[in-house]
Each structure stands twice: as structure tokens, then as C-alpha cells.
Amino acid sequence: NAGVTQTPKFRVLKTGQSMTLLCAQDMNHEYMYWYRQDPGMGLRLIHYSVGEGTTAKGEVPDGYNVSRLKKQNFLLGLESAAPSQTSVYFCASSYPGTGNQPQHFGDGTRLSIL
Amino acid sequence: GDSVTQMEGPVTLSEEAFLTINCTYTATGYPSLFWYVQYPGEGLQLLLKATKADDKGSNKGFEATYRKETTSFHLEKGSVQVSDSAVYFCALGNTGGFKTIFGAGTRLFVKA
């Protein structure tokens, strides 16, 4: 029972490098989300998607891009990594609903930018 | 806009002590309310939820009651265990959109 799977689990980048974080879910969820978690700041929404082929900005979208080409996958890209993007990144998914559906989270990607 | 405020941590308790973590919210309409738990090195997982006023969510000995008159959803457990050590997040389901609003999290340490 995989649920939400994030790859990679850890990564160290140098400033200016690019990378893509992959999120895959096997629950046939319509909605998917990317968050970052920083000490003392809780979870902040980066981008989200309400269906295949759709994406929307969250509260901290700058420096990130996303794509949802397949329903089960949601990719988060960093085109030119900056030290301020050092964080733990979480992907989540849920069924559609008027805010009453819980989100299911992956175990996170720990990203360090040197 | 909608928001969630929860008590700052860390909260440190001895095993078998009573736990309360306060959570209050601001929202328009009638949001659903959630508590999530995050164990070290893992993602958040749903602990319990309540979808309307006076509903009580419960799971694993934890309880929370949706109080519309006080806009609160406090988490309680009668007797905590060392294994309950984690970060707890109160959250609100945004009825007007697609997002969940999370509180800042409260870290709980339980000593043997």
C-alpha cells in the first residue's frame, strides 16, 4: 500500500543547479499539492493541482515550477537553486471536495542548497 | 482570510499525563477541521477530523470537539505515552477553495 511516494528522499545541490522532485500517488486522487516545511514556519503551499493538466500557485511559488502531465504524478522543479530553498518538501494528495477531504502526505524530500 | 492558531510548543509531559493542545480558527462559512500528526522523519498523517459544529473526532485515544461558539478545536488525550512524542498540526479545510490551512504545529515530548 504505497500511498504517496516522493523521490529522492535526500539531495544536496549547489547554488544555480537545477533539479526535479517527483511525487507519485496510487490512490487515484484528483488534487495534489507541494509544500515546504521550515523550522518555526509550519507548512507553506508552493503549488497545487486540481486535475491532470492543471496547476495553480500557492503562497510561496517564486523559484519553483510544476507539471501534472499524468494524474498520478506531480513534479516540482527548481530551475536555479538558491540557499533560501533549503527545506523539507512534502507532496500531498486528496480527493476533491469542499475542503472536507483529508490530505495524504509523502515522507518528504530533504533538500540542501550550498 | 481563513487562519488557524495553535499553542506554541514544545509541550513536555510525563507519561500518563493529560494532554491539551489548543487550537482556534478564523473562517467564513462552515469549514471542516483536522488534526494531523508528524512523527520524526515522516510526513503528516491524519489523526482525526470533524466536519460540523459539535462533532467530536477521535482516534488512538485522542479527541477533539468542533466548537463553533468559541471557534476552537482543542486536542486532548487522557494519558499520553512516550510513543505520542511528535509534532501536531491543527488544520482547516477551506470551504471556498481547494486548500487546507495549517497551523504552525506544536511539538510534544513525552518523558518516561
Side-chain angles (χ1 to χ4, degrees):
Chain A
N1 190 7
V4 178
T5 302
Q6 292 184 233
T7 53
K9 297 189 185 304
F10 303 93
R11 185 74 184 268
V12 178
L13 291 178
K14 295 181 179 179
T15 298
Q17 287 185 317
S18 64
M19 79 162 294
T20 300
L21 281 63
L22 173 63
C23 176
Q25 52 95 3
D26 62 1
M27 295 171 283
N28 203 34
H29 287 164
E30 287 290 334
Y31 295 359
M32 295 188 75
Y33 308 83
W34 276 107
Y35 296 91
R36 59 178 291 173
Q37 184 178 34
D38 302 292
M41 303 194 73
L43 288 172
R44 292 185 290 171
L45 182 64
I46 304 171
H47 286 281
Y48 64 100
S49 167
V50 298
E52 182 178 313
T54 73
T55 62
K57 294 180 180 179
E59 56 180 306
V60 289
D62 293 344
Y64 305 95
N65 57 75
V66 288
S67 64
R68 181 101 182 268
L69 298 179
K70 293 183 178 181
K71 185 177 182 178
Q72 64 268 34
N73 295 338
F74 194 30
L75 278 62
L76 177 71
L78 286 72
E79 289 187 347
S80 179
S84 61
Q85 295 177 305
T86 293
S87 187
V88 181
Y89 292 86
F90 288 100
C91 176
S93 67
S94 75
Y95 289 113
T98 55
N100 64 355
Q101 295 297 327
Q103 295 187 11
H104 299 255
F105 285 79
D107 284 339
T109 295
R110 284 144 186 84
L111 183 61
S112 293
I113 316 295
L114 304 179
Chain B
D2 295 356
S3 66
V4 173
T5 303
Q6 58 182 110
M7 63 188 289
E8 289 188 23
V11 174
T12 303
L13 296 174
S14 296
E15 208 165 23
E16 299 184 2
F18 185 86
L19 169 70
T20 300
I21 300 178
N22 291 337
C23 172
T24 57
Y25 68 90
T26 302
T28 55
Y30 302 94
S32 293
L33 299 172
F34 307 87
W35 277 101
Y36 288 82
V37 59
Q38 183 180 30
Y39 299 103
E42 298 183 7
L44 281 68
Q45 48 186 280
L46 179 69
L47 181 58
L48 53 84
K49 66 180 268 191
T51 58
K52 62 183 187 294
D54 299 325
D55 265 3
K56 177 185 283 188
S58 61
N59 186 27
K60 300 180 181 179
F62 291 89
E63 293 183 340
T65 301
Y66 189 162
R67 302 284 190 199
K68 188 168 175 60
E69 64 276 12
T70 55
T71 62
S72 65
F73 192 54
H74 304 323
L75 182 68
E76 297 182 336
K77 187 176 185 184
S79 177
V80 293
Q81 305 300 312
V82 172
S83 57
D84 294 326
S85 298
V87 181
Y88 293 82
F89 291 88
C90 184
L92 179 157
N94 185 327
T95 57
F98 312 102
K99 306 173 194 174
T100 298
I101 312 298
F102 289 89
T106 301
R107 184 175 295 276
L108 170 67
F109 292 105
V110 180
K111 302 180 296 183

